[in-house]
Amino acid sequence: MQSAYDEAIEFISRGMTADELVAFRPSAASSERYEWLIRKEKTDGLLPEEKAELDRVMEVERVLSLAKARACARLNRGEA
């Protein structure tokens, strides 16, 4: 039985073509903000709302990474 987390990843990986999911990249602005938050966390520390934002971004990054891995596996098996 899949966990709710695994079901969510599976849903994301099927919500678009596997090729589109694998090719997805965040915008430059989003990437810059993420990098800024990480740098600030390491140097000055984050405000509570910034920490919450970074935590959310990291969780989304993890989910997308797992979904992309499953999409790649489907592509390697010849599934679309």
Side-chain angles (χ1 to χ4, degrees), residues 25-58:
R25 298 289 179 266
S27 68
S30 292
S31 294
E32 289 171 13
R33 174 73 177 171
Y34 180 54
E35 291 168 10
W36 179 83
L37 287 167
I38 291 171
R39 280 193 310 273
K40 186 174 181 212
E41 181 181 45
K42 290 179 180 179
T43 57
D44 302 326
L46 297 174
L47 299 172
E49 59 272 10
E50 292 169 332
K51 175 67 172 140
E53 179 184 356
L54 180 58
D55 289 346
R56 283 189 307 273
V57 171
M58 291 175 72

Side-chain angles (χ1 to χ4, degrees), residues 54-70:
L54 180 58
D55 289 346
R56 283 189 307 273
V57 171
M58 291 175 72
E59 183 61 19
V60 168
E61 181 85 12
R62 181 172 184 266
V63 169
L64 281 175
S65 180
L66 291 169
K68 285 181 177 193
R70 290 190 187 187

